[in-house]
Amino acid sequence: MRIENSQLYEFIKDSELINLKDLDLAYKEAQENSRMLGDILLEKKLTDEIKLRQLYAYILGVPFVDLSKEIVPADILQIIPEPIAKKYKIIAFEKTGQELKVAMLNPEDIQTIDFIRKKTGLKIITCLTSESSINIILKQYAKSLKAEFGDIIEKNSSEINGDEKEDLEKVAQGLPIIRIVDTLIKHAILQGASDIHIEPDEKEVRVRYRIDGILHDAMTLPKQVKHGIIARIKVLSNLKLDEHRVPQDGRFKIEKDDLKISFRVSILPIFDGEKIVMRLLNETNKGLTLEKMGLTGSALEIIHRQIKKPNGMILVTGPTGSGKTTTLYTIMDILNTPEVNISTVEDPVEYRMPKVNQTQIYTKVGLTFAAGLRALLRQDPDIIMVGEIRDQETLEMAIHAALTGHLVLSTLHTNSAAATLPRIIDMGAEPFMVASTVNVIVAQRLVRKLCSDCKKEYKMTSKELKILNESYDMKAILENIKKNELAKGIVNKKTTWEDIKFYKAVGCEQCNSEGYKGRSGIYEVLEVDDEIEKMISQKTPTEEMEKRAQEKGMLTMVEDGFMKAIGEITSVEEILRVTKE
């Protein structure tokens, strides 16, 4: 599709969609660098893809369609086979009599249109659409995966031998098993699962996916595929096929269609065989920022200020699966410049980061967190990331590193930011050492985000408020929210809980009837300033420290959660789910 820069420039100028000064600068850059004006406008965020594509459609004289929220019937979608749709970015979305409407990125691609016309024998009506629309509809080709899975099982169950004495390698390399495992993985990727659980029991094999932190039943497979699936995953992960009595850990990677996903595999012997859990780590998810993760306002400012310090400790706390590692990796990504040497000691190494020296713990040979950290200090690092502080020795080494001019990032398992300080002291650290080395503590949880297509507005009743008051001091929470800069315009001095709009999860096709899509963090950020430092040295009780931090503007995790519920990001039910202790 060729729209001249001058032509686009004139149209935008006449429509006054973009400030003329910004438009002139972008046009000049496009001409000087022989680039497309549209690409530069998108790069500089002067417009969005939908508006730009609508303009292209107007210039070319073709209709524009936004399919991002459409569900295309399977029979119409399949008129254009998936490989062609993917390769030429063309989608069939509507059929009336002998007319077929197709959406594409380049409606001037006569060759492809002609090919589809000859293949289908239909009159083709072309429409322009956006890249995001094409990608969303392409995913719909795979919606019938469960049916596809059923076919594979039905057709091949007779070929899959359930006898464990059968040559496992032969079974693992057999086409039916390869197809079953590939489909299982493909299905998990499409649903955005973070983990795949394969659990054999007496009569069947159950497959579950963890999506947005919640486990969902995905499918039930016949018992005879059990040994084949386990063998296939062991082959992929380079594990011992004939070892069934001890746990095994491995990993493998899939690279396909601009997708790079790393799988961390854990195999555990159970009564009915071996249970497999595969953690999916999407390595194409680049450009994650603290803002995108849900950090806002003063909490975000504190973290940005503290990570710029050349030494000290930054601690992230929370239970397993609360996103601690993601927060640390995001901070490392911000700090990862050519001027610094970043080294890590992890168990296991979750994501691979360019220009970061990552060391995997291996306790069998004595490479523990403490031993790895001791060795790291001789490697001239500027920034050190310790996967987790589990014992006194590691803690002492981390404090020593922070005192001797290194910035140390690490995680701990505690329920709140203030509770981390007595926990460190209980592990054997001297209070004055803790006070002088800890810069900031971030406590966090992950909540599911409401689906923007089906969330339903409501207001809290006095009965609901009474139930919430049993778990939380709702009056104090509202008072603290009113003081927060981000709540201005939403609440005022007279606002009560019953006045505030909240949103409930409903469920639609876009979110697989869950009512939620994606996750966001809720945070509690405790900055160790001079006053808190003094309180730590004097062994002040946690409650007093927390109270003083709140007086200085710290939002607790629950308050941050309610802020996000007021801001239409999540629901009150989600906050209750993740903050109940």
Side-chain angles (χ1 to χ4, degrees):
M1 183 173 68
R2 192 76 196 160
I3 292 171
E4 295 299 326
N5 284 347
S6 54
Q7 199 180 1
L8 183 60
Y9 172 81
E10 291 302 330
F11 265 94
I12 296 174
K13 192 178 167 183
D14 291 344
S15 63
E16 296 179 355
L17 273 171
I18 294 168
N19 175 296
L20 191 58
K21 193 181 171 186
D22 291 336
L23 179 63
D24 285 338
L25 284 169
Y27 180 63
K28 190 183 173 191
E29 190 179 325
Q31 295 301 89
E32 283 173 1
N33 299 307
S34 305
R35 288 183 64 198
M36 301 288 286
L37 174 58
D39 293 347
I40 288 170
L41 295 175
L42 287 175
E43 253 174 47
K44 293 184 179 293
K45 295 190 169 75
L46 294 171
T47 187
D48 60 41
E49 197 200 354
I50 300 282
K51 282 180 188 161
L52 186 67
R53 292 260 162 200
Q54 283 171 335
L55 204 59
Y56 285 167
Y58 182 71
I59 294 168
L60 294 166
V62 295
F64 176 83
V65 285
D66 180 7
L67 301 172
S68 59
K69 290 177 184 173
E70 297 297 317
I71 305 291
V72 180
D75 55 334
I76 291 169
L77 193 64
Q78 298 292 346
I79 292 172
I80 298 175
E82 188 182 1
I84 291 167
K86 263 186 177 173
K87 189 175 178 184
Y88 298 103
K89 304 277 179 171
I90 182 167
I91 298 287
F93 68 95
E94 198 180 298
K95 185 176 178 279
T96 316
Q98 287 301 297
E99 285 186 349
L100 180 70
K101 280 190 179 177
V102 299
M104 54 201 300
L105 293 181
N106 182 10
E108 292 180 321
D109 183 357
I110 308 296
Q111 236 176 333
T112 303
I113 296 163
D114 210 38
F115 169 75
I116 288 163
R117 184 179 55 77
K118 284 174 184 169
K119 190 110 176 133
T120 60
L122 300 168
K123 185 187 174 189
I124 307 297
I125 294 166
T126 57
C127 301
L128 185 71
T129 192
S130 63
E131 186 115 31
S132 54
S133 285
I134 295 273
N135 292 337
I136 284 164
I137 304 295
L138 283 174
K139 284 183 181 175
Q140 290 180 24
Y141 274 99
K143 288 284 181 191
S144 56
L145 261 174
K146 274 190 180 170
E148 180 193 327
F149 217 97
D151 291 346
I152 295 171
I153 298 295
E154 217 170 289
K155 285 177 193 170
N156 302 300
S157 58
S158 57
E159 295 174 43
I160 303 164
N161 196 314
D163 185 7
E164 202 179 333
K165 288 170 188 162
E166 177 83 11
D167 181 355
L168 283 173
E169 198 156 346
K170 193 178 163 190
V171 174
Q173 304 293 0
L175 194 64
I177 282 294
I178 289 175
R179 285 187 67 196
I180 287 171
V181 173
D182 285 358
T183 309
L184 197 141
I185 287 170
K186 185 172 148 191
H187 199 17
I189 293 168
L190 280 159
Q191 289 196 28
S194 62
D195 300 84
I196 303 170
H197 290 238
I198 300 164
E199 303 161 324
D201 62 25
E202 200 179 343
K203 292 178 180 166
E204 61 201 12
V205 177
R206 184 166 63 143
V207 179
R208 295 193 288 169
Y209 295 149
R210 189 178 291 282
I211 301 163
D212 293 335
I214 308 286
L215 271 172
H216 298 269
D217 282 332
M219 57 202 77
T220 306
L221 306 175
K223 189 184 171 183
Q224 69 259 36
V225 303
K226 176 173 80 175
H227 299 301
I229 287 176
I230 293 166
R232 174 68 188 153
I233 291 166
K234 282 182 177 178
V235 166
L236 286 171
S237 318
N238 213 7
L239 298 174
K240 290 177 184 173
L241 277 175
D242 55 351
E243 182 54 85
H244 310 288
R245 297 158 303 168
V246 294
Q248 294 191 73
D249 292 316
R251 55 172 67 218
F252 64 93
K253 197 176 279 189
I254 285 177
E255 289 186 44
K256 188 183 165 193
D257 300 337
D258 300 329
L259 205 64
K260 197 174 174 186
I261 292 182
S262 183
F263 290 78
R264 209 177 72 217
V265 180
S266 169
I267 299 179
L268 180 76
I270 58 170
F271 189 79
D272 290 298
E274 288 168 282
K275 179 188 169 179
I276 298 175
V277 176
M278 292 192 274
R279 165 68 53 92
L280 282 71
L281 302 159
N282 191 343
E283 294 187 5
T284 40
N285 271 350
K286 293 285 177 273
L288 195 63
T289 62
L290 295 171
E291 290 89 336
K292 280 183 193 167
M293 287 163 61
L295 275 153
T296 52
S298 60
L300 181 67
E301 285 169 24
I302 288 167
I303 291 174
H304 275 296
R305 182 165 65 241
Q306 292 297 344
I307 65 174
K308 287 189 179 99
K309 288 189 176 177
N311 58 330
M313 283 174 86
I314 290 161
L315 298 172
V316 184
T317 84
T320 303
S322 60
K324 300 187 297 293
T325 309
T326 307
T327 302
L328 286 188
Y329 272 96
T330 307
I331 290 171
M332 283 200 293
D333 198 34
I334 295 166
L335 297 170
N336 194 1
T337 60
E339 296 83 47
V340 293
N341 169 14
I342 304 178
S343 296
T344 77
V345 192
E346 302 170 68
D347 183 25
V349 171
E350 296 246 3
Y351 297 95
R352 284 289 298 109
M353 272 194 99
K355 301 180 195 127
V356 173
N357 313 293
Q358 294 170 276
T359 303
Q360 165 84 48
I361 289 307
Y362 195 47
T363 43
K364 277 184 189 172
V365 295
L367 182 53
T368 59
F369 274 119
L373 190 46
R374 192 175 288 111
L376 265 195
L377 289 172
R378 294 192 286 275
Q379 289 274 317
D380 184 32
D382 298 293
I383 297 159
I384 297 167
M385 192 272 259
V386 184
E388 190 186 334
I389 292 174
R390 294 178 185 169
D391 52 59
Q392 187 180 348
E393 195 184 355
T394 310
L395 176 65
E396 282 172 1
M397 292 296 302
I399 288 174
H400 171 69
L403 278 170
T404 53
H406 304 91
L407 185 66
V408 180
L409 316 174
S410 193
T411 70
L412 270 139
H413 290 270
T414 57
N415 288 328
S416 70
T420 307
L421 297 161
R423 170 76 197 278
I424 297 172
I425 292 163
D426 286 346
M427 281 171 83
E430 291 291 341
F432 73 91
M433 297 279 266
V434 174
S436 56
T437 53
V438 177
N439 294 352
V440 66
I441 301 166
V442 182
Q444 67 178 79
R445 302 283 186 281
L446 289 175
V447 290
R448 290 181 293 169
K449 282 157 69 172
L450 285 161
C451 169
S452 55
D453 292 307
C454 64
K455 61 186 176 190
K456 187 182 170 189
E457 188 186 302
Y458 76 100
K459 284 192 176 176
M460 207 182 276
T461 62
S462 50
K463 191 183 172 186
E464 286 169 322
L465 189 58
K466 194 180 172 187
I467 293 164
L468 285 170
N469 265 314
E470 289 170 14
S471 304
Y472 309 111
D473 183 348
M474 295 301 284
K475 190 182 173 187
I477 289 171
L478 187 58
E479 286 310 308
N480 281 336
I481 285 172
K482 283 178 184 178
K483 291 175 199 167
N484 197 284
E485 284 288 312
L486 298 168
K488 280 182 180 170
I490 303 170
V491 295
N492 57 45
K493 283 179 183 176
K494 292 178 182 175
T495 304
T496 65
W497 280 116
E498 286 96 332
D499 299 328
I500 297 169
K501 286 179 191 172
F502 288 100
Y503 293 82
K504 262 187 170 45
V506 179
C508 64
E509 283 196 348
Q510 296 292 334
C511 58
N512 293 323
S513 304
E514 288 292 318
Y516 297 98
K517 207 172 180 183
R519 287 193 287 177
S520 176
I522 57 170
Y523 300 90
E524 188 172 293
V525 177
L526 175 67
E527 184 174 29
V528 181
D529 58 13
D530 293 345
E531 195 176 340
I532 299 289
E533 207 174 297
K534 206 171 174 184
M535 289 173 102
I536 299 167
S537 297
Q538 292 166 354
K539 293 191 180 179
T540 307
T542 307
E543 293 76 20
E544 275 184 51
M545 263 192 282
E546 197 162 57
K547 195 180 172 190
R548 186 66 196 112
Q550 280 180 268
E551 284 167 11
K552 292 179 164 202
M554 180 186 90
L555 279 181
T556 64
M557 224 170 334
V558 175
E559 286 162 4
D560 190 37
F562 275 101
M563 282 283 291
K564 287 184 168 75
I566 293 167
E568 303 182 33
I569 292 166
T570 191
S571 65
V572 174
E573 289 78 8
E574 270 298 285
I575 299 153
L576 283 167
R577 182 178 71 84
V578 302
T579 58
K580 269 194 292 191
E581 286 171 19

